[in-house]
């Protein structure tokens, strides 16, 4: 089982190396230079909002992907 997990993780790592870097990296790095951003984040937890939005986006994306696959195999209407 351990060999299978290592082989799957190495395949995933190899696939991820072919993907390009994020086009938003420079923009996100520039956000750290904004003065008083830490104080704003104290009152409005933007990092928590981003984390929740990313989890929600993955959940909705997975739902639509599974739904599309099930429609292709005619399991659902």
């Amino acid at each position: 089982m351990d060999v299978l997990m290592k082989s799957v993780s190495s395949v995933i790592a190899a696939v991820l190396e072919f993907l390009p870097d994020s086009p938003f990296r420079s923009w996100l790095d520039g956000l750290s230079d904004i003065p008083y951003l830490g104080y704003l984040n104290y009152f409005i937890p933007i990092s928590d909002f981003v984390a929740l939005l990313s989890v929600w986006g993955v959940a909705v994306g997975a739902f639509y992907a599974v739904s599309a696959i099930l429609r292709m195999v005619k399991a659902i209407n």
Side-chain angles (χ1 to χ4, degrees):
M1 189 68 173
D2 189 41
V3 173
L4 179 65
M5 291 300 290
K6 286 182 182 180
S7 64
V8 168
S9 66
S10 66
V11 167
I12 290 173
V15 168
L16 288 177
E17 285 190 25
F18 285 114
L19 296 174
D21 290 335
S22 174
F24 304 107
R25 177 59 52 198
S26 62
W27 184 75
L28 291 174
D29 290 340
L31 284 177
S32 64
D33 298 333
I34 297 175
Y36 306 112
L37 186 61
Y39 298 116
L40 177 64
N41 281 333
Y42 181 78
F43 295 106
I44 303 170
I46 294 173
S47 61
D48 292 339
F49 292 160
V50 170
L52 287 172
L53 183 63
S54 64
V55 169
W56 178 82
V58 168
V60 169
F63 170 77
Y64 280 119
V66 169
S67 176
I69 291 169
L70 289 175
R71 287 179 198 276
M72 280 191 268
V73 297
K74 304 286 186 197
I76 62 172
N77 288 329

